[in-house]
Amino acid sequence: MTFNPIKAFNSFVFDEHIERVTTNFLRNSDPSYRGRAIVSDTIAPRTRGRVHFQGSWWPAQCEQNVTLAVGEVVQVVGRQNITLLVRSVPPLVASC
């Protein structure tokens, strides 16, 4: 699809419908949004919280039915727009 300035202008001025391109910002779109993060605002099930990831604070959401507490380490599994999608990390089991 190529950019058509006349079509764009008409859409802006006359509110014409133009063809929309769907983009996928979910999970596998960018491998740089993977790794560990630390919860900085509690994340309740299907509710946004906040995490510290790669030197910045991000809105985050967990699809699991768990509450993630402040200070908990989580796994970033993707992103949806600017919200990181995270999962809880199971605690390490010490072996003797």
Side-chain angles (χ1 to χ4, degrees), residues 38-52 57-63 66-70 74 82-86:
I38 299 174
V39 177
S40 55
D41 286 337
T42 303
I43 304 171
R46 289 171 289 289
T47 304
R48 280 194 205 164
R50 201 172 224 12
V51 296
H52 188 253
W57 283 267
W58 294 77
Q61 187 169 352
C62 182
E63 295 175 345
V66 296
T67 298
L68 303 171
V70 173
V74 293
I82 65 165
T83 301
L84 296 181
L85 304 173
V86 299

Side-chain angles (χ1 to χ4, degrees), residues 32 58 64-65 71 80-81 88 90:
S32 65
W58 294 77
Q64 297 169 307
N65 195 20
Q80 185 174 19
N81 296 324
S88 62

Side-chain angles (χ1 to χ4, degrees), residues 20-53:
R20 297 196 185 272
V21 177
T22 332
T23 57
N24 182 10
F25 289 106
L26 298 175
R27 297 182 204 329
N28 299 321
S29 62
D30 190 346
S32 65
Y33 292 96
R34 300 275 191 261
R36 301 284 171 122
I38 299 174
V39 177
S40 55
D41 286 337
T42 303
I43 304 171
R46 289 171 289 289
T47 304
R48 280 194 205 164
R50 201 172 224 12
V51 296
H52 188 253
F53 177 68

